[in-house]
Every structure is written in structure tokens, then in C-alpha cells.
């Protein structure tokens, strides 16, 4: 067939295809149930107690009801849902509820903000230094680069293609690249590393690939060697399997520039490693390196392009903490014809283990048996050998002699053994497609990311893979271990690393994100709220202390208000007869509230139509509200009131704000004089209000605001 002729793999269609929306809505994690704690950015922590219909001038509206200390109630309009977030601190700890109207919350918020600002300042300063430094600007892709990419036997997944574009674009810029590529186990991050390394070799520079384990160094050496065998580059590796003499030889070649790509463990950070001309530094599984190693890395990479690959995904929300120093690419789509790994938690049972092993070997596969105690490996081997006398079994661990370990692993790759009993030395990045069952003994002693990584060692081809976690009876385990094992059982879909990382956060509590000092805050204000405060702080810093650096960015989003609240007496809600379930309604409200662009809104509208039938007028108004809110932010209004057919627009509340000297404000005044006869300005206290008569419904409001916005943007 053509696949054999062109050495390409056949592309299967998986029955239950992986849908993007399923992967990323952390909806399951975020769904609010009555009784959950929530944090409101202006009022603090309270208890969510359902949606409630409210009568506004004889028309129905829906609001979220939050209870505060001493039975105070707060009703939050559905158009300001983005101000609420679910409280997530450490699981099982009960937060202090705030009292409405007291200043405790605002003090806490300011205190957090101040602390966060100190940290954020350092991050941004680091970022500023990097941006200011001159790195090496790589040339555009050569024909060899194109050829390398074309010779990839799989088809690039969309995310992979995008990540590799991003990386190459960063390399072509004069400032040094610092990109983090986050993708689940087995989603093709190595290929991106190969392309980046090759690109730098094309420009006559060297690439260094840093990996955490000895086996992985060897494995990458083989992968890189295979991919680049038809190209004029030399690849070599350093690990402790090599004799001192061989290492010296390698270092010498490296300094003379005879080796283009070097792959190695921590040894690469040693004193005697000199590069002739290092172009790009690639770090695989950065979370496995210790602090001192990372310090050395920092020295290496001030003006070298650096690319970090990690599979234990950093929850999207933490991306922000990297925002100061990193660009992020996420690979979410699994390669075609991958199947989810079936995960089961069982107790230690000889018959079951025998059946599992035989099931796998009879379909021609091999088995990993993970037992994380070096001392007990030999006994474990004889135990398994006793269960399956006719199979060949080997064991491997990190304290074996180099050659012996290497031979064992290679023989296992060559299918000389059926079962490999080993410590978690195989954890990161070992790629043996023929192994499709992994048994983890004493799984309760591993952390979540370790288990997720181990599970990622199987299911790397198109066969169904199995992962068995052996642990004592669940009832005897401590609650944290129990939750960990359940999490893995629950999220066994492809690309579920994200959800796992989020759960990890919930189970352990979000510790110190950026340093030791502020872990206490998260417990008091909840994790998402912490993110929001962090974002605000970063924004203020960009506006004030680092104006020059972010001039471009500020010009694009020079907004004077960050949010507009809209209050109306119209019937704006999702009616009960349209969507019955309360949790579903709430989730729709918050998704609508978070739609960023017009495309998002249209897609969401389409989805509603598909799921629930023709969209009623109240819901159409809801969409209009979101559109109006976006426009009002651009125009600089803090609040819009629409009551009794009169619209009141409140300008920025701070009378000394630069907004009143801005082009936008002048344009609005001009519009009121020439473009419309409906509006007039009023002064109430210190604040200016724009009052517009005869606005009966949302459509008219939308028409008026968009006309005004058009005028403001027209000549600018």
C-alpha cells in the first residue's frame, strides 16, 4: 500500500473522537453547587445558594444569591458573573466568611495586592532584561528545514503545528526566546525539539538538550539520530554510561564545534563543558530538575534561545505566574488513532496479576511492572516468575552498573523480555510503543504527576492500553491518597493532564506560587480570586512602572475602565422553559459572560440553538448585554443604568483620571453635539453622567452605543 511505500502510518478514525471543548472546559471542576463557597471580588467570601428570580419594575430577572456572615444576602446580576469565582483553597478547609459592608475584605485584598506587586515587579523586571538583551536572530527556514518537517512520518496535529511555528518565529526574533511547551504525555513534544535544534544547526550553531534521566538521554539520542540521519548534523550524548575517556573526547569535540547537537543529563551543566557557539538550549521535563541545576541554567540561558518542554501540565491559571518570564504553547490534541488508557485501582491479588500479564503477552505486547523499592526488586522478580513460569522477566533500577542497565533496557526494547520489573526510572519520556500494560505496585505512595507520567508510558501506539494501580484497600488509605487514585481513574481521557493538574491543586492546596511568603493568602481568598488580583497588579505595573517596555501593548488596550456593570429593568435571563436545570443555566451564564470575541458569541449562539431550540428574545437580549458591555469598556463607562426607558452612563469615577483629557472623551462630547440629539450631560456630585432618553430595549441601547463607538473610532 502507499503507507508501506512512503513509510507513513495509516491514519485511523477513533470512534469516540476527542473534542476540543470537552478537554478544556474545566466545567466539571468549576460547576457550582448550592452550598459551595464563592469569592466576590468586591465583597469577599460567601456561600452560593442558587439562582433566584427577582422582580424589577414588574419584569423578571435572574440573579445569583450569595449568603454572607450573619445571614446577609447579596444578589449578583447575571451580567456581572465574572466577578464571582468558586473558592478553591486546600480541600476540606473551611474559609472564613466575610461580612457585607465591613472593610476586612478590602484590607485583605489591598494587602495581597501589595505583596503580589512586589513579586510581579521582579517577574516583569526579569522579562524586561530578557527583552532588552540581544540574542541571535535565526534566519528564515531553509529547504533542509522544510525537508525535515516533511519527513515526519505522522501528520502534525494542529496544536503541534502551531507550537512549532511559534518556536521558529521566536527564534527568528533578535531577543532571546524563552518558551514553555506544555503538552500531555506522548503528544509529540520531542518532534518540536528536533525541529528547533535542527534550525539552530542550519545557522551554524549548536543545540543542547538537557534531560533528567540517563535512560531518557539515550532514548532522545536515538530519536534525534533517527530523525536527522539523512541530514549533515552530528548528534552525541553524555550520560554516566560513558567512560571518562569517552566523555573527555566528547567535550573536546563540543568545544571545537564538531558536535552539532548534544544530549545529556546534569553533566551538561558541569564546569568542563564548553560550547563553541550555543544557539538553543532545550530542557525536557524541567520540573524534575533541582534548584541548583536551575540556577546554573539561568546563567547559561541569559542570551541563548531556550525551549522548555513539560508534560505535567501547569494549569492554565498558573500560566500567568509564568507570564512575567515565559511564552506558553499548549498542545492539547492527541495524535490521531490514540485510544484513552483504561485505568483501574485494584488490591494486590496474585490471580489478577497473572491474568493481566498473560492477557498482554498473548496479544504480543510487553508489560511494565513498577515496584519503587530497589531492595525488593529481585524478590518481586522471583514472585512474578513464579506466577508466570514461561515468560522471560528482567529487572532494572538506577543503581545498576551503567552497561547492565543499558543492555537490559535495550533488550527489552528488542522484545527479548516480556516483563520488565523496575523502579520509576522509566517515568519520564521512555518511549517503547510495544508496551501496553503497566502495573504500579503501592500506587498510593506516588504523587499525582508521577502516576500520570507512568501511565503515559503505555498506549503510545494504536492499541488499547491498560494501567493498573495496585494499592491497599481504599478504605484504609489517607484521604489525600484516596483522592489521588480516584482522580486518575476519573480522568483517563487523552489530554486529561490538565484536569489532573487542576485536581492536584485542589487536593494539595495551592502552595506558594511564586515564593515562600504568600501561601497564606490563597487560603483566605481562594485561588481564582488570587489570580484575578494578580492580573490586576500586573496590569497596574505595566501602566505605571514599566510604561516604556509595554508601550506597544498599552497602546492596543488603552482602557481606562477594566469593567462595566450594566443594570436594567428589562427581562433579561434564560427562561425556565428554555433551560430547566439550574446548574446548567448558571454554567451557560458564566460561559456567555466569558465570551471574548464576536466569533465566540456567534458560536455560543449556534450551540444554544442546537441544544435547546430557537433562542427566545430574553436570551437574545442577554447576548446584546455582553456586546454592549465590551463596547462600554472601550468608551470608558463604569456603569450603565437602563430604567424606565432612560439610559444613564456613568463616566470614570475618578475626576482626575487621564481619561478626561483623552481623545476618546473629546470624541464622545463631539458625538453628543453633532451625532445625536438624544443625550445630555449632567454633573452629579463629582461624577459626570450622560443621560439618554427614549431607549426602550436592549436593541436600541446597542444601536446607540455602537453609533457612539463608531464615531469615536472613525478618524482615530
Amino acid at each position: 500500500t502507499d503507507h508501506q511505500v512512503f513509510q507513513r502510518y495509516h491514519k485511523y478514525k477513533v470512534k469516540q473522537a476527542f473534542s476540543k471543548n470537552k478537554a478544556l472546559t474545566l466545567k466539571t471542576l468549576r460547576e457550582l453547587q448550592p452550598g459551595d463557597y464563592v469569592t466576590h471580588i468586591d465583597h469577599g467570601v460567601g456561600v452560593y445558594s442558587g439562582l433566584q428570580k427577582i422582580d424589577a419594575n414588574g419584569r423578571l430577572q435572574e440573579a445569583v444569591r450569595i449568603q454572607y456572615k450573619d445571614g446577609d444576602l447579596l444578589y449578583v446580576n447575571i451580567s456581572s458573573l465574572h466577578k464571582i469565582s468558586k473558592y478553591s483553597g486546600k480541600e476540606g478547609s473551611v474559609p472564613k466568611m466575610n461580612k457585607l459592608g465591613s472593610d476586612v475584605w478590602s484590607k485583605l485584598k489591598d494587602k495581597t495586592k501589595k505583596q503580589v506587586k512586589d513579586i510581579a515587579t521582579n517577574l516583569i523586571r526579569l522579562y524586561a532584561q530578557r527583552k532588552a538583551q540581544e540574542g541571535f536572530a535565526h534566519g528564515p527556514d531553509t529547504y533542509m528545514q522544510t525537508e525535515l518537517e516533511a519527513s515526519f512520518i505522522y501528520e502534525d496535529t494542529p496544536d503541534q503545528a502551531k507550537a512549532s511555528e511559534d518556536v521558529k518565529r521566536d527564534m527568528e526574533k533578535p531577543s532571546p526566546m524563552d518558551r514553555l511547551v506544555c503538552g500531555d504525555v506522548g503528544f509529540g513534544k520531542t518532534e518540536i525539539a528536533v525541529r528547533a535544534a535542527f534550525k539552530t544547526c542550519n545557522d551554524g550553531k549548536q543545540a543542547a538538550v538537557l534531560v533528567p534521566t540517563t535512560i531518557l538521554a539515550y532514548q532522545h539520542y536515538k530519536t534525534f539520530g533517527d530523525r536527522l540521519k539523512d541530514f549533515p548534523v552530528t548528534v552525541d550524548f553524555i550520560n554516566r554510561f560513558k567512560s571518562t575517556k569517552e566523555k573527555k573526547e566528547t567535550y573536546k569535540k563540543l568545544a571545537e564545534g564538531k558536535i552539532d547537537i548534544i544530549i545529556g543529563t546534569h553533566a551538561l551543566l558541569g564546569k568542563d563543558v564548553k560550547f563553541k557557539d550555543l544557539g538553543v538550549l532545550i530542557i525536557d521535563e524541567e520540573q524534575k530538575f533541582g534548584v541548583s541545576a536551575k540556577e546554573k541554567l539561568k546563567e547559561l540561558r541569559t542570551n541563548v534561545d531556550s525551549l522548555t518542554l513539560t508534560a505535567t501540565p501547569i494549569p492554565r491559571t498558573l500560566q500567568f505566574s509564568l507570564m512575567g518570564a515565559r511564552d506558553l504553547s499548549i498542545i492539547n490534541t492527541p495524535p490521531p488513532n490514540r485510544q484513552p488508557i483504561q485505568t483501574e485501582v485494584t488490591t494486590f491479588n496474585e490471580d489478577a496479576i497473572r491474568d493481566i500479564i498473560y492477557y498482554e503477552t498473548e496479544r504480543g505486547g510487553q508489560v511494565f511492572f513498577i515496584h519503587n523499592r530497589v531492595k525488593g526488586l529481585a524478590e518481586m522478580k522471583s514472585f512474578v516468575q513464579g506466577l508466570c513460569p514461561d515468560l522471560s522477566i528482567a529487572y532494572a533500577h538506577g543503581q545498576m552498573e551503567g552497561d547492565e542497565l543499558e543492555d537490559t533496557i535495550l533488550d527489552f526494547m528488542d522484545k527479548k523480555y516480556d516483563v520488565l520489573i523496575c523502579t520509576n526510572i522509566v517515568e519520564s519520556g521512555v518511549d517503547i510503543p510495544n508496551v501496553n500494560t503497566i502495573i504500579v505496585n503501592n500506587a498510593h505512595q506516588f504523587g499525582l504527576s508521577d502516576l500520570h507520567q507512568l501511565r503515559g508510558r503505555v498506549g503510545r501506539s494504536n492499541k488499547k492500553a491498560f494501567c493498573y494501580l495496585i494499592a491497599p484497600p481504599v478504605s484504609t488509605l489517607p484521604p489525600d491518597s484516596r483522592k489521588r487514585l480516584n482522580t486518575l481513574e476519573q480522568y483517563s481521557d487523552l489530554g486529561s493532564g490538565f484536569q489532573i493538574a487542576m485536581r492536584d491543586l485542589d487536593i494539595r492546596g495551592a502552595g506558594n506560587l511564586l515564593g515562600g511568603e504568600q501561601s497564606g493568602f490563597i487560603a483566605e481568598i481562594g485561588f481564582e480570586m488570587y489570580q484575578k488580583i494578580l492580573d490586576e497588579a500586573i496590569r497596574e505595573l505595566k501602566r505605571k512602572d514599566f510604561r516604556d517596555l509595554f508601550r506597544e501593548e498599552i497602546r492596543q488596550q488603552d482602557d481606562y475602565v477594566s469593567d462595566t456593570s450594566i443594570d436594567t429593568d428589562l427581562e433579561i435571563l434564560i427562561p425556565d422553559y428554555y433551560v430547566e436545570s439550574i446548574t446548567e443555566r448558571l454554567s451557560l451564564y458564566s460561559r456567555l459572560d466569558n465570551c471574548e470575541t464576536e466569533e465566540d458569541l456567534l458560536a455560543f449562539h449556534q450551540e444554544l440553538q442546537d441544544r435547546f431550540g430557537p433562542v427566545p428574545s430574553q436570551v437574545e437580549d442577554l447576548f446584546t448585554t455582553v456586546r454592549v458591555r465590551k463596547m462600554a469598556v472601550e468608551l470608558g463607562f463604569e456603569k450603565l443604568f437602563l430604567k424606565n426607558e432612560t439610559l444613564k452612563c456613568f463616566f470614570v469615577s475618578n475626576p482626575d483620571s487621564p481619561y478626561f483629557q483623552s481623545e476618546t472623551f473629546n470624541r464622545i462630547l463631539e458625538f453628543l453635539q453633532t451625532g445625536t440629539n438624544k443625550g445630555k450631560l449632567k454633573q452629579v456630585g463629582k461624577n459626570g453622567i450622560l443621560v439618554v432618553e427614549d431607549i426602550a430595549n436592549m436593541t436600541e441601547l446597542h444601536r446607540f452605543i455602537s453609533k457612539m463607538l463608531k464615531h469615536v473610532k472613525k478618524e482615530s
Side-chain angles (χ1 to χ4, degrees):
T1 64
D2 55 341
H3 306 295
Q4 288 155 341
V5 176
F6 295 116
Q7 294 184 337
R8 302 209 168 230
Y9 286 123
H10 180 53
K11 186 174 172 186
Y12 292 86
K13 288 277 180 282
V14 182
K15 282 193 200 66
Q16 40 142 350
F18 174 80
S19 66
K20 193 120 186 188
N21 352 9
K22 193 175 79 188
L24 273 189
T25 52
L26 293 169
K27 195 171 117 186
T28 41
L29 302 178
R30 295 280 165 264
E31 287 213 325
L32 281 174
Q33 300 297 341
D36 285 351
Y37 286 99
V38 291
T39 320
H40 187 293
I41 196 157
D42 303 327
H43 303 289
V45 181
V47 176
Y48 162 71
S49 55
L51 290 172
Q52 179 153 351
K53 300 271 190 299
I54 294 181
D55 180 12
N57 279 355
R59 297 190 175 117
L60 273 187
Q61 288 190 352
E62 206 160 22
V64 175
R65 184 172 65 196
I66 303 178
Q67 274 178 324
Y68 281 90
K69 198 166 157 188
D70 306 339
D72 296 350
L73 286 179
L74 174 71
Y75 292 105
V76 181
N77 190 329
I78 45 182
S79 64
S80 37
L81 269 188
H82 49 279
K83 292 191 173 174
I84 311 175
S85 57
K86 187 171 172 179
Y87 171 89
S88 51
K90 186 168 162 45
E91 237 176 65
S93 62
V94 176
K96 279 211 305 260
M97 278 165 67
N98 296 91
K99 182 151 176 54
L100 282 182
S102 74
D103 58 351
V104 178
W105 170 253
S106 52
K107 276 185 184 156
L108 180 68
K109 206 169 103 178
D110 292 343
K111 192 169 140 202
T112 311
K113 207 168 196 171
K114 190 172 154 299
Q115 288 251 354
V116 166
K117 260 194 176 154
D118 299 344
I119 297 160
T121 315
N122 294 339
L123 273 179
I124 296 188
R125 190 163 291 133
L126 198 92
Y127 186 65
Q129 282 169 355
R130 288 198 66 101
K131 280 279 174 270
Q133 265 172 348
E134 278 297 307
F136 174 75
H138 288 78
D141 286 0
T142 58
Y143 71 95
M144 293 214 287
Q145 183 80 23
T146 331
E147 204 162 305
L148 171 80
E149 290 178 18
S151 69
F152 187 41
I153 50 178
Y154 303 97
E155 197 176 324
D156 282 15
T157 62
D159 290 349
Q160 208 178 355
K162 186 174 172 304
S164 105
E165 280 310 304
D166 288 346
V167 168
K168 289 190 299 195
R169 199 177 52 241
D170 281 357
M171 289 172 77
E172 287 164 20
K173 287 183 188 155
S175 55
M177 157 168 90
D178 191 357
R179 184 170 280 280
L180 178 72
V181 176
C182 213
D184 219 329
V185 230
F187 277 22
K189 297 185 295 290
T190 315
E191 174 63 18
I192 291 174
V194 173
R195 292 176 187 183
F198 188 64
K199 188 173 177 68
T200 213
C201 299
N202 270 333
D203 284 338
K205 293 172 101 63
Q206 293 167 306
V209 184
L210 195 64
V211 292
T213 62
T214 322
I215 297 183
L216 194 53
Y218 187 72
Q219 167 115 27
H220 271 345
Y221 169 63
K222 283 186 66 168
T223 316
F224 274 72
D226 285 351
R227 286 290 285 121
L228 299 170
K229 62 175 184 289
D230 304 335
F231 297 95
V233 286
T234 48
V235 184
D236 205 346
F237 72 105
I238 295 178
N239 61 15
R240 62 184 182 80
F241 293 163
K242 287 193 158 184
S243 65
T244 323
K245 186 172 156 223
E246 288 176 306
K247 278 189 195 161
K248 276 212 171 106
E249 182 64 19
T250 310
Y251 292 152
K252 188 166 154 253
K253 282 186 181 165
L254 197 59
E256 291 168 2
K258 287 183 183 160
I259 293 177
D260 298 313
I261 299 177
I262 181 81
I263 300 167
T265 50
H266 302 65
L268 277 183
L269 301 173
K271 290 191 284 294
D272 34 1
V273 182
K274 297 274 184 291
F275 292 97
K276 183 178 178 203
D277 185 1
L278 183 61
V280 65
L281 175 68
I282 298 168
I283 305 160
D284 200 6
E285 299 294 342
E286 186 193 32
Q287 74 276 1
K288 290 263 180 295
F289 288 101
V291 176
S292 56
K294 285 189 180 162
E295 286 305 309
K296 283 188 189 144
L297 279 177
K298 276 197 185 120
E299 292 164 24
L300 254 180
R301 70 184 195 194
T302 38
N303 52 5
V304 172
D305 286 341
S306 78
L307 172 66
T308 309
L309 313 173
T310 171
T312 308
I314 295 174
R316 188 60 187 276
T317 33
L318 301 191
Q319 164 194 352
F320 149 87
S321 62
L322 302 171
M323 183 242 60
R326 292 262 169 93
D327 305 305
L328 189 75
S329 302
I330 295 183
I331 303 183
N332 275 322
T333 37
N337 62 23
R338 278 290 162 84
Q339 298 183 15
I341 300 165
Q342 188 173 326
T343 310
E344 282 178 37
V345 178
T346 59
T347 49
F348 195 91
N349 169 346
E350 300 187 4
D351 298 342
I353 293 177
R354 181 190 303 126
D355 292 347
I356 292 169
I357 294 178
Y358 274 129
Y359 176 79
E360 182 59 50
T361 49
E362 285 182 1
R363 60 174 190 172
Q366 292 160 288
V367 182
F368 274 137
F369 190 106
I370 308 291
H371 177 77
N372 213 8
R373 288 281 172 275
V374 173
K375 291 201 174 74
L377 275 185
E379 287 93 271
M380 208 65 211
K381 179 188 165 186
S382 46
F383 166 76
V384 177
Q385 190 76 67
L387 290 178
C388 317
D390 53 338
L391 298 182
S392 57
I393 298 172
Y395 68 93
H397 57 79
Q399 295 173 15
M400 287 161 72
E401 279 305 306
D403 305 342
E404 198 185 338
L405 177 58
E406 194 173 357
D407 292 344
T408 310
I409 297 272
L410 289 180
D411 288 347
F412 187 61
M413 283 180 174
D414 294 339
K415 307 189 181 146
K416 288 185 187 160
Y417 301 116
D418 299 305
V419 182
L420 182 65
I421 297 181
C422 54
T423 56
N424 61 352
I425 185 168
V426 295
E427 178 187 340
S428 41
V430 175
D431 186 9
I432 310 177
N434 196 39
V435 183
N436 281 309
T437 297
I438 185 167
I439 304 173
V440 183
N441 194 14
N442 290 337
H444 59 291
Q445 294 171 353
F446 287 88
L448 250 181
S449 69
D450 295 341
L451 286 171
H452 181 59
Q453 276 286 6
L454 283 170
R455 179 170 72 183
R457 295 308 109 222
V458 295
R460 300 178 80 94
S461 61
N462 46 22
K463 281 190 186 162
K464 180 84 181 145
F466 300 93
C467 166
Y468 297 94
L469 306 172
I470 299 180
V474 178
S475 50
T476 61
L477 292 177
D480 280 5
S481 315
R482 191 164 64 234
K483 282 179 192 153
R484 278 203 297 269
L485 296 176
N486 288 348
T487 303
L488 277 164
E489 259 190 315
Q490 201 178 347
Y491 298 116
S492 60
D493 290 355
L494 294 167
S496 56
F498 246 44
Q499 279 96 326
I500 289 182
M502 290 307 295
R503 277 292 292 154
D504 199 16
L505 213 74
D506 285 348
I507 293 171
R508 292 189 307 184
N512 39 3
L513 240 69
L514 310 168
E517 58 280 354
Q518 89 293 353
S519 51
F521 287 135
I522 298 187
E524 289 175 27
I525 61 180
F527 183 67
E528 288 192 23
M529 199 43 74
Y530 177 74
Q531 291 301 336
K532 288 185 180 174
I533 293 180
L534 217 39
D535 277 341
E536 273 181 29
I538 287 258
R539 248 184 69 162
E540 286 175 23
L541 283 172
K542 281 184 178 176
R543 294 276 181 284
K544 294 193 181 111
D545 308 0
F546 295 97
R547 281 206 77 114
D548 307 343
L549 182 66
F550 294 101
R551 195 174 290 126
E552 278 303 299
E553 197 176 319
I554 294 176
R555 193 176 306 130
Q556 284 164 12
Q557 44 159 358
D558 204 354
D559 36 8
Y560 298 95
V561 288
S562 51
D563 190 34
T564 305
S565 59
I566 298 182
D567 202 359
T568 66
D569 57 359
L570 304 172
E571 191 173 334
I572 300 182
L573 75 168
I574 299 179
D576 293 357
Y577 63 80
Y578 190 56
V579 180
E580 277 176 27
S581 138
I582 289 191
T583 38
E584 189 54 42
R585 274 211 304 273
L586 184 68
S587 126
L588 291 174
Y589 282 140
S590 55
R591 276 181 56 199
L592 179 61
D593 211 45
N594 291 327
C595 284
E596 288 297 323
T597 59
E598 188 60 28
E599 286 85 57
D600 293 348
L601 283 169
L602 292 173
F604 188 56
H605 191 274
Q606 185 61 42
E607 182 190 334
L608 284 182
Q609 223 164 338
D610 291 349
R611 282 172 63 186
F612 306 107
V615 179
S617 60
Q618 298 98 316
V619 182
E620 293 287 3
D621 281 351
L622 200 55
F623 275 91
T624 315
T625 317
V626 177
R627 292 190 175 110
V628 168
R629 200 179 83 220
K630 298 267 183 291
M631 293 181 189
V633 168
E634 287 189 53
L635 289 167
F637 294 131
E638 280 197 349
K639 287 195 286 241
L640 299 181
F641 274 177
L642 178 56
K643 300 245 164 114
N644 305 332
E645 305 200 354
T646 309
L647 170 69
K648 294 180 180 162
C649 309
F650 292 77
F651 289 107
V652 182
S653 53
N654 170 13
D656 309 328
S657 162
Y659 170 74
F660 295 108
Q661 273 78 53
S662 72
E663 186 67 9
T664 311
F665 184 64
N666 292 334
R667 282 283 164 82
I668 292 179
L669 295 181
E670 195 179 290
F671 171 72
L672 292 176
Q673 287 156 2
T674 59
T676 177
N677 52 4
K678 281 186 177 178
K680 47 185 187 291
L681 286 174
K682 277 188 181 171
Q683 181 88 6
V684 176
K686 285 185 175 173
N687 301 348
I689 303 183
L690 162 62
V691 182
V692 188
E693 306 283 339
D694 295 341
I695 297 240
N697 52 33
M698 286 311 290
T699 328
E700 291 185 16
L701 170 60
H702 183 251
R703 196 177 304 138
F704 180 77
I705 295 277
S706 43
K707 200 169 157 192
M708 182 170 2
L709 189 63
K710 215 176 199 164
H711 184 88
V712 169
K713 285 190 159 173
K714 166 176 79 181
E715 298 133 36
S716 61

